[in-house]
Amino acid sequence: MTKTRPDGLTIIPTDAPPACASRLVDDFTPDLIDVGEHHLCPGCGEPIAIRSMVEAVSELELVQRTIAVFGIGCYTAFSNNLDVEVLQALHGRAPSLATGVKRAKPDTIVFTVQGDGDMVNEGLQEVIHAAARGENITCFMVNNGVFGETGGHMTATTVVGQRTKNTLDGRDPEQHGHPIRLANLLAEVDGAAYVARGAVNNAGNVARTKRMILDAFETQKAGRGFSFVEILTMCPTGWFIETQEAPAYLADNLGVVHEVGVLKS
Ligand SMILES: Cc1ncc(C[n+]2csc(CCOP(=O)(O)OP(=O)(O)O)c2C)c(N)n1
Ligand code: SF4
Ligand SMILES: [Mg+2]
């Protein structure tokens, strides 16, 4: 039953299905996403990031020549939902596998999708060497500051003070070290042609991040060398907070240390 708040606004009940079906305004499913459903948590930022990547592939008319290489994390679930060729890499090894694909098939557009756990904890050397070699590939890192899939543990990008499953009192630099700002580090590497950091916690950032993704693909298309976009994503489950608090939490925590912007172009 519909309730009314003291200020007169209506509270929509969510404990039971609505009495009548909602009206479908439009089908917003991008061409390259096979099914509209996925198993990621409500409020997760990763589907927004992946959606932006495949939208960019369509808009640049690269569908027929694109190959994605996935790392291992919650985002890996999407490797079954996309209508592009996908290869599955071992933890952290996606940039090396992508290197092999691109060298064997130079006319393809090759991109990786990895998380902060996969890319910075488990395979940091891979991405640094790929950047230094100036490999003409595009790497994306969805950074939520936790090993989301395995339960919300600290990663190398977790910010100081952030509460995770194994830093219950917050990350303490004395005990756990300092976070690694991967985009900043890669921007310093000769061979990296384009480096940026976006976020998906509000509409403005989603639009800005989409532009970065397009620019990264354009860099590869033009043969200018290694391109990288880090994307800050919400993980309400791994952050142990309410779903609706996650966008602001991202801005106040991860976003303060891992600043959004283009670092090299
Ligand atoms: C060699 C190896 N070690 C550990 C795991 C377990 N594992 C699976 S997903 C994952 C976390 C990945 O974290 P991240 O890349 O940040 O992705 P997220 O789930 O946060 O999106 C881990 C540790 C594994 N699959 N293989
Ligand atoms: S655990 Fe975090 S990263 Fe994984 S699906 Fe849930 S919200 Fe997304
Ligand atoms: Mg993660």
Side-chain angles (χ1 to χ4, degrees), residues 117-141:
D118 185 86
M119 187 179 254
V120 193
N121 283 75
E122 294 173 272
L124 182 58
Q125 66 167 7
E126 307 277 325
V127 70
I128 293 178
H129 282 274
R133 293 193 306 268
E135 297 294 345
N136 193 27
I137 59 173
T138 301
C139 292
F140 296 116
M141 173 173 74

Side-chain angles (χ1 to χ4, degrees), residues 116-117 142 144-148:
D116 46 316
V142 284
N144 53 21
V146 283
F147 285 99

